[in-house]
Amino acid sequence: MKIALINTITPFVRGGAEIAVEDLYDQLKIRGHKVTLFRIPFPDDYEVSLLETVLACKMLRFTSYDRVIAFKFPAYCVYHPQKVLWLFHQFRQVYELFGREYGIDDNKEGRALKSIITNIDNEEIGCSYLKYCIAKEVAKRLKKYNNLNATVISLPLMNSEAYYCNATGDYIYYPSRVTPLKRQHLAIEAMRYVETDVKLVLAGICKEAEYENHLKDLINKYKLADKVLWENTWVDNSEKIKTLANALGVMYIPYKEDYGLVTLEGFYSSKPVLSCTDSGGTAEFIKNNYNGYITEPEPRVLATVMDALFNNKELAKKIGLNAREYILQRNITWDETIRRLLA
């Protein structure tokens, strides 16, 4: 089958979504399909350039392909009679983030843009041949804001067989792109209140100078240099897997995340995962006190759980084993995922 994968790209940014689409590309080729990956540049200008990008997408026709699979706004605006949507997320700035710190301002221009994009989504998502989402969180947003239904297909973790458990260490590991929505600041603030020698290891690069400075200021202000380790560099996968294997636990506490592969990485590494009640898709896999912990997004509460794991490493091991057993039983594989995407 000739397949086109259509995704967006933010210049010089590489995160979980980009890695996932590249993995799907490889998996499709392994199974004998002819595949092309198209990346549409995502603009910084939300007022003019964004709508021009939507128009450009609408003009792209992929009728020479048997199937098109699109993932994010506005990539799913391209034309194909059997366009499959595997929605990673919409343009969240005009939906649940609208009028908030990370969204479009709630003013005349913002409301106009929100209306335009909502209408575009209603039309383009509505006419998709198949509609899938990567998590319940994404499906709930689609239903709430667009009154459209979609089926969840969980995203498999690339090279899941490479993850392993070696030891139960003394640190909580937080591997992620560093940006305000991932809330590394909340993790650092929690370290003010820990009463044990537990450490926090942040792994990931921050390309937002203001947020980078904010995190560094927090570490300095509360004298946490010995407790919080962060080098602000890209961590390759082999190093990440090794650090996961020797962690006490894993933390992933973004705000209303679409999915959260970090949770799967922790589970496959036999580690308990700590997340928050408002962390969205990443918390959908967690059963509280069984394979991880879901807490309120409060520094003192997070600190209490971190101390509890440090003080009872046998419990941390047990919960970690539960986590691996759970994710293996879920059987989130590329064979099943591709079968459904190409139905």
Side-chain angles (χ1 to χ4, degrees), residues 13-249:
V13 173
R14 176 176 165 81
E18 289 74 28
I19 294 170
V21 174
E22 290 169 8
D23 195 17
L24 174 59
Y25 171 87
D26 291 337
Q27 295 295 330
L28 286 167
K29 292 193 71 175
I30 288 171
R31 289 159 177 79
H33 299 285
K34 295 182 178 180
V35 192
T36 309
L37 172 56
F38 296 88
R39 297 180 176 94
I40 297 169
F42 196 83
D44 293 329
D45 186 345
Y46 292 161
E47 294 183 7
V48 178
S49 299
L50 180 58
L51 297 181
E52 291 177 343
T53 304
V54 173
L55 180 60
C57 288
K58 283 178 169 286
M59 296 175 68
L60 295 175
R61 303 176 68 85
F62 289 86
T63 51
S64 60
Y65 289 85
D66 300 312
R67 183 65 51 88
V68 160
I69 305 174
F71 307 93
K72 294 193 291 186
F73 177 86
Y76 48 70
C77 294
V78 303
Y79 175 77
H80 189 273
Q82 288 190 317
K83 178 174 62 181
V84 173
L85 177 71
W86 193 16
L87 187 63
F88 286 10
H89 60 75
Q90 297 167 264
F91 187 54
R92 297 176 61 191
Q93 288 85 340
V94 300
Y95 291 113
E96 83 279 8
L97 298 179
F98 182 71
R100 300 174 65 94
E101 181 180 0
Y102 309 118
I104 298 295
D105 290 336
D106 186 0
N107 54 30
K108 182 179 179 180
E109 292 77 15
R111 288 188 293 273
L113 186 62
K114 174 180 173 64
S115 177
I116 292 170
I117 291 177
T118 301
N119 288 333
I120 290 170
D121 279 357
N122 290 343
E123 176 184 353
E124 295 296 338
I125 296 175
C127 72
S128 296
Y129 172 65
L130 294 172
K131 291 184 280 293
Y132 297 116
C133 292
I134 60 170
K136 294 177 183 177
E137 176 73 17
V138 182
K140 285 191 295 185
R141 289 183 212 147
L142 186 62
K143 181 64 176 179
K144 178 178 180 179
Y145 296 106
N146 306 92
N147 197 29
L148 293 171
N149 296 311
T151 302
V152 173
I153 297 182
S154 297
L155 180 65
L157 177 65
M158 181 171 64
N159 297 326
S160 61
E161 67 281 356
Y163 292 79
Y164 66 99
C165 180
N166 183 56
T168 301
D170 63 355
Y171 58 89
I172 302 294
Y173 192 40
Y174 193 158
S176 171
R177 182 165 52 91
V178 181
T179 187
L181 276 174
K182 304 298 184 182
R183 297 195 299 197
Q184 281 85 359
H185 60 277
L186 180 58
I188 293 173
E189 288 167 0
M191 295 303 293
R192 297 170 54 193
Y193 302 106
V194 296
E195 298 177 354
T196 65
D197 291 330
V198 66
K199 291 179 172 57
L200 173 68
V201 177
L202 301 175
I205 190 167
C206 182
K207 296 189 176 182
E208 302 171 52
E210 183 177 352
Y211 192 57
E212 178 186 352
N213 291 332
H214 176 56
L215 297 184
K216 290 179 177 178
D217 288 345
L218 284 175
I219 293 171
N220 292 330
K221 179 180 179 180
Y222 297 113
K223 298 179 175 57
L224 297 172
D226 294 334
K227 285 183 169 290
V228 179
L229 308 178
W230 179 43
E231 295 183 356
N232 193 21
T233 58
W234 177 260
V235 178
D236 67 41
N237 214 45
S238 60
E239 181 180 349
K240 178 172 65 174
I241 289 172
K242 181 179 178 180
T243 309
L244 280 164
N246 293 284
L248 172 64

